[in-house]
């Protein structure tokens, strides 16, 4: 039996970033603590009210404790929200059609990559099930012209996102540009999803949408090419000064020692 095919670029995009773009939240930490604060405050008020109605001390203590915790959660949420104001975020939003498209993809291939959860998913059992029912991939639920455009766009977006992860761990100019590059890539991808979702429903729009998606995909490719260039540049003097890479320090010392030994040998040979 043939081995299962690798997931498509659309599949990998959806599992890694599609879900995040679908429910784009400015700051998940702030939102989480806000929800916790509201729920805890509600419980605290309820327990306090019960204590006044029944005259019990324990509900009063529990209620006050919950109110204090809710206040702390609220403070953390406010602090996280204030910090998020300095984080660049995309102003482009998914259309209702694009959300519907992502929902269909998620319902078909799953909301995360399950191939790493169980060994049997990529083993003989998984191959048998894939051969019996067909391998689930995003293109199964997208019209062929739209799927072809989206596959190319997702390839370039995945390439940008992978390079951004590398750049985020670097010390050069590329690291400084990472936040802006992420926003630029996300905006381009959201725009592509909005266009492709229209094409999926109205194949008659292929000519116009194909040109627009092609432009956005070209920009993603250009961004990836520029980022590759930045990452392949030799480290500047300033980058090396701020670098804490132990390997660089060791290699520098060894190079200096080798040069000193060569100069000493040349000096001795000249005097002799």
């Amino acid at each position: 039996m043939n081995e299962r095919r690798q997931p498509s670029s659309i599949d990998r995009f959806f599992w890694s970033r599609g879900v995040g773009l679908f429910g784009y939240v400015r700051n998940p930490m702030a939102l989480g603590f806000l929800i916790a604060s509201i729920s805890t405050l509600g419980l605290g008020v309820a327990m306090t009210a019960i204590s006044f109605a029944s005259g019990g001390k324990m509900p009063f203590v529990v209620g006050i404790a919950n109110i204090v915790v809710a206040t702390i959660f609220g403070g953390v949420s406010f602090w996280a929200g204030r910090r998020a104001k300095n984080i660049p975020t995309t102003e482009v939003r998914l259309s209702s059609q694009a959300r519907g498209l992502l929902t269909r993809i998620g319902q078909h291939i799953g909301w995360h990559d399950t191939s790493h959860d169980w060994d049997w998913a990529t083993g003989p059992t998984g191959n048998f099930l894939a051969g019996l029912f067909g391998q689930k991939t995003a293109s199964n639920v997208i019209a062929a012209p739209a799927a072809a455009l989206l596959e190319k766009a997702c390839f370039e977006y995945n390439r940008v996102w992978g390079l951004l992860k590398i750049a985020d761990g670097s010390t050069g100019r590329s690291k400084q540009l990472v936040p802006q590059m992420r926003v630029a890539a996300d905006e381009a991808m959201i725009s592509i999803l909005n266009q492709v979702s229209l094409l999926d429903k109205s194949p008659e729009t292929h000519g116009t949408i194909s040109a627009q998606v092609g432009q956005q995909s070209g920009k993603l490719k250009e961004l990836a090419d520029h980022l590759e260039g930045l990452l392949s540049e030799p480290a500047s003097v300033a980058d090396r000064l701020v670098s804490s890479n132990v390997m660089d320090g060791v290699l520098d010392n060894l190079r200096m020692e080798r040069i000193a030994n060569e100069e000493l040998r040349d000096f001795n040979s000249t005097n002799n």
Side-chain angles (χ1 to χ4, degrees):
M1 184 177 294
N2 295 332
E3 292 293 326
R4 299 180 71 186
R5 295 174 299 169
Q6 291 295 317
S8 68
S9 293
I10 304 176
D11 298 339
R12 288 193 295 271
F13 155 75
F14 181 82
W15 287 325
S16 63
R17 288 291 299 151
V19 177
L21 295 179
F22 180 87
Y24 202 88
V25 178
R26 183 176 179 85
N27 191 298
M29 178 181 177
L31 180 62
F33 274 101
L34 179 60
I35 294 173
S37 176
I38 294 174
S39 59
T40 308
L41 179 62
L43 179 60
V45 171
M47 294 299 293
T48 304
I50 292 173
S51 70
F52 284 119
S54 63
K57 294 181 178 179
M58 184 57 66
F60 178 78
V61 173
V62 173
I64 294 299
N66 276 276
I67 292 174
V68 171
V69 172
T71 303
I72 296 173
F73 284 165
V76 174
S77 175
F78 176 78
W79 170 80
R82 294 278 295 183
R83 288 193 61 189
K85 290 184 177 180
N86 296 324
I87 300 175
T89 56
T90 176
E91 296 181 358
V92 182
R93 293 291 181 266
L94 288 171
S95 65
S96 58
Q97 294 91 341
R99 289 181 177 275
L101 177 65
L102 291 177
T103 300
R104 273 190 287 136
I105 293 175
Q107 291 173 343
H108 184 67
I109 68 173
W111 296 91
H112 72 286
D113 186 2
T114 59
S115 64
H116 302 294
D117 295 343
W118 301 283
D119 292 338
W120 61 263
T122 55
T125 303
N127 292 333
F128 172 77
L129 293 175
L132 185 63
F133 299 106
Q135 183 173 349
K136 291 185 176 182
T137 185
S139 59
N140 297 150
V141 293
I142 308 175
L149 290 177
L150 187 58
E151 178 71 15
K152 293 179 181 179
C154 287
F155 175 87
E156 298 298 343
Y157 180 88
N158 293 345
R159 182 178 164 221
V160 170
W161 199 253
L163 292 170
L164 285 175
K165 290 182 179 178
I166 299 174
D168 199 28
S170 67
T171 59
R173 286 183 298 155
S174 57
K175 181 178 178 63
Q176 300 173 359
L177 296 173
V178 165
Q180 289 77 17
M181 287 182 172
R182 281 176 177 163
V183 173
D186 284 348
E187 286 187 346
M189 197 65 221
I190 291 173
S191 177
I192 289 170
L193 288 168
N194 290 342
Q195 297 294 325
V196 168
S197 63
L198 288 175
L199 176 60
D200 185 57
K201 295 296 184 182
S202 304
E204 297 82 2
T205 61
H206 182 270
T208 302
I209 290 180
S210 176
Q212 294 178 355
V213 171
Q215 290 179 355
Q216 295 294 336
S217 298
K219 291 178 181 179
L220 284 172
K221 182 180 184 304
E222 185 178 357
L223 178 61
D225 291 341
H226 282 303
L227 187 53
E228 274 189 346
L230 287 174
L231 291 173
S232 62
E233 288 180 354
S236 65
V237 175
D239 295 337
R240 297 298 296 274
L241 289 175
V242 299
S243 175
S244 60
N245 192 311
V246 176
M247 176 64 78
D248 289 340
V250 171
L251 291 176
D252 283 342
N253 290 332
L254 291 173
R255 294 185 189 112
M256 293 174 64
E257 184 177 351
R258 177 175 55 80
I259 293 173
N261 290 334
E262 291 175 353
E263 292 178 348
L264 181 61
R265 284 196 298 270
D266 292 341
F267 176 78
N268 291 334
S269 62
T270 301
N271 290 337
N272 293 334

